[in-house]
Amino acid sequence: MSALDRVLERLDNVRAQGDGHKASCPVLAHGQGNGDRNPSLSIGTDAEGNVLLKCFAGCENEAVVEALGLKMVDLFEHRNGSGYVREGGGGSHTPPKSRSTHQPSDPTTLENYAAYVRLPVEFLKDLGLAQIHYGGEPAVRMPYPDGSGEEVLLTRFRVSLTGKPKVKTKRGDKHRLYGLWKLEEARAAGYAFLIEGESDCQTLWFHGEPGVGIPGANGWKQEWASDLEGISRLYFVVEDEAGEACWEKLAATPEIRERLHRVELDGAKDVSELHKQDPEGFSGRLANA
Ligand SMILES: [Zn+2]
């Protein structure tokens, strides 16, 4: 089934409009809770067949997708070869573009970054990512909004795909957790994954998993524990040796110690790979500290 069909079959009052469609916005809070009597959700597609949504009353795309019982990943075409590749479901499968095909010298454009982390450009734009120039070279700006999602607390820049350093922080900005505006979801779900770096965090969100990113090489700061109040279980994903050092810091934080668990990635090189596997199997891999 195409991404467009997947979305359209769940909508009411669908009608053709221009090159695309419009339909009633499914968000319960739409129109101050009065619903959407005059279809105000526009549904289009890009050149790859990925679905582009816009509610003209201003509902967030994530709210629309959730109201449809879908995840952001469902808005995107799952193609072999280029673009996002989803495993499973039978049929032929071409291995996704390998990360190793990227050179440190590749310019850090938003498109190259998206290909490198294997996430759709539109999804990353929804997270506020944008291509800018940093020191005369292309870079990807990654804003860190506050809990309301309205105010940007700090900005980091992906300045290299594979070189070092990969990410720089805007001068004068103080590090905070990445994904503060998604913590309400984590509280509702009863858990959150803690992970180092923005890109794996974006991968978690793409798969509909509540995740919080720990920025920078110095890792976790104890003062951030208050941000994680009310989340019953915290799963730290240990990806490498640097992850062990971060784990030590987390485990030494009294406010979260009791709720902290570690996730080992045996059999998967990172969360991107892990999350393409079936969620039942994923849960089975959670291991207590
Ligand atoms: Zn709406």
Side-chain angles (χ1 to χ4, degrees), residues 25-27 30-31 36 40 55 57-59 64:
C25 175
V27 177
H30 178 102
D36 186 19
S40 49
C55 170
C59 298
V64 174

Side-chain angles (χ1 to χ4, degrees), residues 31-51:
Q32 294 167 332
N34 293 320
D36 186 19
R37 279 163 290 191
N38 297 314
S40 49
L41 182 71
S42 152
I43 307 104
T45 49
D46 68 11
E48 275 81 48
N50 303 318
V51 174

